[in-house]
Amino acid sequence: MKMAPPPRLSRRTLLSLSLGLAATAAGCKGSGGGGGAPAGKVKLTLNWVPEPEFGGFYAAREGGAFKRAGLDVEIMPGGAGVPVMQMVASGKSDFGVVNGDEVLIARARGADVIPIFATYQTFPQGIMVHASRGANTMADVFRGGTLAIEPGTAYAAYLKKKYGFDKVKVVPYDGGVARFLVDKEYAQQCFVTSEPLAARKKGAEPKVFLVADEGYNPYSQVVVTRKALWQENPERVRAFVRATREGFRAYLDDPGPANVVMGKLNTTMDAETFAGAAAAQKPLIEDAQTTKLGMMTRERWETLGKQLKELGILDAVPPVEAFLVAIDA
């Protein structure tokens, strides 16, 4: 499914690179987003290539939501080596897409960025195993076999603390499904809109256990901006959020048009895969508890902060009131 761009692994491991650079850039003043009216050209930098997880942004652009909000949005694809957090912190990009844990780590390192929209209400990372193994719970996965996972990620640290890795053979995750297809005892990390679809397309029967169901559920694909931009031009930020919400509403209702556009930009995914990924992610973006697309709560951020501290990833938790602003007020 991902043959030309670097494997999804590379995007997930950008955390240390982008955050390290963000800390250096935190005090720099950028050129993006000064004061004035909400109208104007802004840049949005993604943390991966055009795929359904970004469908709402393309729907907002192609469907005119950004234009109606007075915004000319340039969408910049990401990938391995694109330090999204640094670009936003330094003002080289007005908005960027990162993960929730990256926000807290970046703030702890001095980057004055704020989250303004959370695409995934449910963390889309999971562990997939062959259905033939008969695993009924995530705990069963850690009772034997081989597990391919990035040990440096926060969710891997959480799973290790909860279940231990002593009974499984942990190997590096290579970003594909080739080994999974030939080894029935092989389990691996997955993004629920990616590897499971690729495995099924090759004839396998994967069973996926969501990390979120185990108690680690950070917001994912979070849009961030500089706090300075919010303070200087809150109407521009609000306009962007409103248009983004409208775009994701349109994409959830009918992903076809935006998929066509993204398919031309990312030729490594076919139309069937785009449609399958869009369907798989829908309940992760909007569920019964979602009163507004992109919503975030203080409680969720506080819980994440406590977990990152308990895992030893943070020495001190950044105060939520310092970065969670009332965008819709």
Side-chain angles (χ1 to χ4, degrees), residues 159-228:
L159 292 176
K160 183 177 182 180
K161 182 177 181 180
K162 184 172 183 177
Y163 294 114
F165 286 176
D166 54 307
K167 295 181 180 178
V168 295
K169 179 183 178 182
V170 177
V171 298
Y173 168 66
D174 61 12
V177 297
R179 291 188 62 183
F180 183 84
L181 295 174
V182 299
D183 187 350
K184 298 296 183 181
E185 296 301 313
Y186 188 88
Q188 68 173 73
Q189 68 176 58
C190 66
F191 205 70
V192 296
T193 63
S194 180
E195 291 87 351
L197 299 181
R200 291 188 185 99
K201 200 168 184 178
K202 294 291 185 179
E205 293 184 50
K207 185 171 184 178
V208 178
F209 297 100
L210 280 175
V211 175
D213 292 336
E214 302 305 307
Y216 186 74
N217 189 27
Y219 290 118
S220 185
Q221 300 307 81
V222 177
V223 181
V224 294
T225 190
R226 289 181 302 126
K227 192 171 185 179

Side-chain angles (χ1 to χ4, degrees), residues 52-53 193 197 251-252 255-256 259 272-283 285:
E53 61 207 81
T193 63
L197 299 181
Y251 187 74
L252 291 176
N259 281 350
E272 179 185 357
T273 304
F274 264 105
Q281 74 176 6
K282 190 171 182 178
I285 295 174

Side-chain angles (χ1 to χ4, degrees), residues 3 17 31 33 38 41 104 133 161 168 172 174 188 209 224 235 239 242 254 256-257 266-267 269 276 286 298:
M3 298 177 64
L17 171 63
S31 58
K41 188 174 182 64
L104 292 183
R133 278 182 60 174
K161 182 177 181 180
V168 295
D174 61 12
Q188 68 173 73
F209 297 100
V224 294
E235 286 309 309
R242 286 194 298 268
D254 182 11
N266 177 13
T267 58
M269 285 181 67
E286 182 179 37
R298 179 189 182 99

Side-chain angles (χ1 to χ4, degrees), residues 46-250:
L46 310 180
N47 59 357
W48 196 243
V49 297
E51 289 188 358
E53 61 207 81
F54 309 117
F57 303 119
Y58 287 95
R61 188 184 70 180
E62 301 303 315
F66 283 140
K67 185 176 182 180
R68 288 190 293 275
L71 299 172
D72 178 9
V73 179
E74 179 184 8
I75 303 176
M76 303 295 294
V82 179
V84 179
M85 191 71 78
Q86 177 207 16
M87 294 174 69
V88 174
S90 65
K92 292 181 179 179
S93 186
D94 301 279
F95 305 98
V97 178
V98 299
N99 285 317
D101 45 13
E102 293 180 70
V103 175
L104 292 183
I105 296 170
R107 287 202 59 87
R109 295 182 179 182
D112 199 17
V113 295
I114 59 172
I116 59 174
F117 185 94
T119 302
Y120 287 134
Q121 298 296 303
T122 301
F123 189 46
Q125 202 76 40
I127 302 295
M128 73 177 189
V129 300
H130 287 273
S132 60
R133 278 182 60 174
N136 295 313
T137 66
M138 179 77 85
D140 293 335
V141 177
F142 294 91
R143 294 194 174 111
T146 299
L147 173 63
I149 193 169
E150 297 173 81
T153 59
Y155 73 87
Y158 179 86
L159 292 176
K160 183 177 182 180
K161 182 177 181 180
K162 184 172 183 177
Y163 294 114
F165 286 176
D166 54 307
K167 295 181 180 178
V168 295
K169 179 183 178 182
V170 177
V171 298
Y173 168 66
D174 61 12
V177 297
R179 291 188 62 183
F180 183 84
L181 295 174
V182 299
D183 187 350
K184 298 296 183 181
E185 296 301 313
Y186 188 88
Q188 68 173 73
Q189 68 176 58
C190 66
F191 205 70
V192 296
T193 63
S194 180
E195 291 87 351
L197 299 181
R200 291 188 185 99
K201 200 168 184 178
K202 294 291 185 179
E205 293 184 50
K207 185 171 184 178
V208 178
F209 297 100
L210 280 175
V211 175
D213 292 336
E214 302 305 307
Y216 186 74
N217 189 27
Y219 290 118
S220 185
Q221 300 307 81
V222 177
V223 181
V224 294
T225 190
R226 289 181 302 126
K227 192 171 185 179
L229 175 57
W230 164 250
Q231 293 171 331
E232 295 164 9
N233 200 332
E235 286 309 309
R236 176 170 292 183
V237 177
R238 287 192 176 104
F240 183 87
V241 171
R242 286 194 298 268
T244 295
R245 182 171 292 125
E246 183 179 338
F248 271 98
R249 178 73 274 156

